[in-house]
Amino acid sequence: MRRLFACLLLAAALPTAHAASPAGSTRDSGDAAHLFGYWPKPGQRAAFDEGYRRHLAWHRQAGDPLVWYGWYVSDGKRAGMFVDGSFGAPFAAFDQRVDPAGDGADAGRNVTPFVEPAFRASYRLRRDLSSGFPLERWQPSPRLQVTRYMVRPDARAAFEQAVRLARAALPADAPAHTWYEPVSGDAPGYLRLVARQGWRDHDRGADNLDALLARSSDPQAKVVAAALADSVISADIETWEYRVDLSLIPNR
């Protein structure tokens, strides 16, 4: 039963081909972001990588029009987890799947034996809070700094005001800060993805919300910063390393 459950969950979570639009037409056409996490079983990471590459080949051959990125979490509480995700398509694109039975069978052969499913979550892009959208435009960076915020339900407005002021305080050459809110799944209150080229980017100085508000010239910044302290329950930060060989970008 445990193996059957894992197969069913993975078949539902892994990339699936879609018939809603021709290949390549879903780039930055919507605000859906779907993320899935897996723990490679002990000693099985290489086997998983190989099998996942084969599974992506199945999707390419099936004409999947969606982008699928793959990352390994390199630090933080979930270091070692593999995360894949699809960005930049409308939510409706996930209503029409091509050959789900074939997809599940291929995942069962090439992926399921080597992993334990960890989470499945769906988010909506908040363009009004973000400074850029590289994943939606199929321009992944070598790494991501990922912050998962848990926010008090009655403090969403205060938190979003802080994010807006922080965005305005970003330098003109700052990397993209992209914000998402959860739609379903095991998700915190907000998700921030910062595009990073490497560790050298951190030499620019801190760009968390507190630091950006401290640099803000807005007269409300201090009041907003104080409200932010009462808004956030927790914030977990981790780094995701992009794996081009474990990703599928249509027409590449």
Side-chain angles (χ1 to χ4, degrees):
M1 286 297 294
R2 178 181 175 86
R3 182 176 178 82
L4 175 61
F5 173 78
C7 289
L8 290 174
L9 178 60
L10 195 61
L14 282 170
T16 52
H18 297 79
S21 55
S25 68
T26 57
R27 178 178 179 271
D28 203 13
S29 61
D31 295 339
H34 297 276
L35 289 170
F36 314 98
Y38 313 103
W39 290 109
K41 293 179 180 178
Q44 297 295 305
R45 176 164 164 171
F48 165 70
D49 288 357
E50 293 236 359
Y52 192 79
R53 281 191 284 267
R54 291 193 297 270
H55 190 60
L56 287 180
W58 184 94
H59 281 278
R60 188 177 295 280
Q61 292 170 3
D64 190 346
L66 300 177
V67 68
W68 287 96
Y69 303 115
W71 299 274
Y72 269 107
V73 181
S74 61
D75 56 30
K77 297 177 182 178
R78 305 189 299 182
M81 179 184 290
F82 177 77
V83 178
D84 72 350
S86 184
F87 293 75
F91 284 97
F94 294 83
D95 288 330
Q96 301 185 33
R97 297 170 52 192
V98 174
D99 190 14
D103 181 17
D106 189 83
R109 289 189 298 270
N110 291 306
V111 182
T112 303
F114 312 114
V115 294
E116 293 287 350
F119 76 88
R120 179 178 185 177
S122 297
Y123 294 85
R124 184 188 311 277
L125 170 66
R126 290 294 303 271
R127 293 179 185 267
D128 59 320
L129 302 179
S130 304
S131 67
F133 324 101
L135 294 180
E136 284 69 24
R137 294 173 178 171
W138 298 1
Q139 298 171 347
S141 55
R143 60 173 53 190
L144 287 174
Q145 183 181 355
V146 180
T147 308
R148 297 175 293 135
Y149 290 92
M150 184 70 73
V151 177
R152 289 197 353 252
D154 62 345
R156 289 171 55 87
F159 182 82
E160 291 185 11
Q161 184 181 11
V163 173
R164 289 189 174 93
L165 285 185
R167 180 188 60 182
L170 284 170
D173 60 346
H177 289 223
T178 313
W179 286 88
Y180 302 84
E181 63 181 0
V183 172
S184 64
D186 182 15
Y190 292 87
L191 186 73
R192 184 187 74 156
L193 306 183
V194 181
R196 301 290 190 195
Q197 299 302 309
W199 285 110
R200 64 184 181 275
D201 285 358
H202 295 280
D203 290 329
R204 300 166 53 95
D207 56 5
N208 54 51
L209 292 181
D210 290 336
L212 291 172
L213 289 174
R215 295 202 294 268
S216 174
S217 60
D218 192 291
Q220 292 295 313
K222 289 186 178 180
V223 175
V224 171
L228 177 65
D230 293 330
S231 302
V232 177
I233 299 172
S234 64
D236 293 323
I237 305 175
E238 58 194 19
T239 303
W240 296 2
E241 301 285 348
Y242 180 60
R243 288 290 298 268
V244 64
D245 62 318
L246 301 178
S247 302
L248 187 157
I249 298 180
N251 300 325
R252 287 193 190 176

